[in-house]
Amino acid sequence: MTQSILPILNEEQIRRLDTATRLGADKVAESLSKWLRTKVVSNSAKTAIVHYSKLLELSPSSEDLVTAILIPISGSISGHLLFIFNEMSTKRILSKILRRNIDSLSEWDALRRSAMEETGNIIGTSFANTLAMNLDFDIHPSSPVMAYDYAGAFWDTLLTQYAIEGEYALSCQVTFNSPGDQISGTFAIIPEDLQEWKEL
């Protein structure tokens, strides 16, 4: 990341953000290991600060189905944590939680939805707590909201509803590895007011 991408923050602040999000990815992997009852390791984490209109480019094709988990945050910084998993990663997560093979996501019953929302709650809390500890912020995550839709339709709705007053988001593309599986996702922080980040 460079200062020119986000002039409101200096190079040291951007470096701290990058470090904190990478540590957050490791903490998410640790939490997923306990939740899925299998070893999960953060294989890669690529952090960037992007204009919110560019977030769509970080997710799967607009015609791909994705599971999106949106978690409101408040405190020293306000906005939303966003976790997006592609269809294959969603199936793998559900298969491990429910202990049965998930071949299709054409139907979402209460059990599947609850499992993914709880996954969002677990990883969202882990990620938020790591950010708070490393950035010396006070961050409070709220209950997650889950959506399963085409990536393009989801981003259109999200950016219209939540990011209309903002300009930038902090994205973290993370790949997790577990025995015989790969779970990948795009994580983003969509701030309501970037001025709050000047206190880094």
Side-chain angles (χ1 to χ4, degrees):
M1 295 184 297
T2 62
Q3 186 174 354
S4 60
I5 296 176
L6 189 56
I8 198 171
L9 300 180
N10 60 41
E11 291 182 1
E12 174 62 21
Q13 290 170 323
I14 292 174
R15 186 193 62 78
R16 289 189 64 197
L17 274 175
D18 185 63
T19 299
T21 53
R22 289 173 186 273
L23 291 172
D26 289 339
K27 194 64 178 179
V28 166
E30 180 182 326
S31 297
L32 277 175
S33 294
K34 296 177 182 178
W35 174 231
L36 302 179
R37 297 184 292 271
T38 188
K39 181 66 174 179
V40 178
V41 178
S42 175
N43 187 51
S44 64
K46 181 181 179 181
T47 307
I49 296 176
V50 299
H51 190 272
Y52 68 78
S53 63
K54 299 294 185 181
L55 285 172
L56 178 58
E57 299 175 6
L58 302 175
S59 66
S61 167
S62 62
E63 297 180 356
D64 288 345
L65 286 164
V66 299
T67 300
I69 304 171
L70 194 67
I71 304 171
I73 56 173
S74 58
S76 302
I77 56 175
S78 54
H80 294 81
L81 296 180
L82 174 65
F83 299 86
I84 292 184
F85 298 102
N86 60 28
E87 190 170 16
M88 184 58 67
S89 292
T90 301
K91 290 178 183 178
R92 287 170 176 163
I93 290 172
L94 286 174
S95 293
K96 290 182 180 296
I97 295 173
L98 303 179
R99 296 286 180 167
R100 62 173 183 265
N101 190 41
I102 304 295
D103 294 320
S104 172
L105 297 176
S106 58
E107 295 183 6
W108 279 86
D109 57 20
L111 183 60
R112 290 185 180 188
R113 186 171 292 275
S114 177
M116 287 306 296
E117 288 178 345
E118 183 59 22
T119 299
N121 184 53
I122 289 170
I123 62 181
T125 299
S126 295
F127 197 71
N129 288 345
T130 303
L131 286 181
M133 180 175 62
N134 287 278
L135 300 178
D136 197 24
F137 277 173
D138 186 28
I139 305 176
H140 305 289
S142 299
S143 299
V145 177
M146 194 213 83
Y148 179 70
D149 204 343
Y150 291 100
F154 169 76
W155 282 113
D156 286 345
T157 300
L158 175 73
L159 297 178
T160 298
Q161 184 172 358
Y162 293 105
I164 193 168
E165 295 182 1
E167 289 188 78
Y168 295 95
L170 175 66
S171 72
C172 185
Q173 289 179 287
V174 180
T175 298
F176 299 105
N177 286 330
S178 56
D181 287 318
Q182 186 177 65
I183 299 171
S184 61
T186 297
F187 300 172
I189 303 170
I190 302 178
E192 288 185 1
D193 184 2
L194 270 172
Q195 293 291 334
E196 296 172 337
W197 292 85
K198 292 183 68 176
E199 301 303 319
L200 274 172

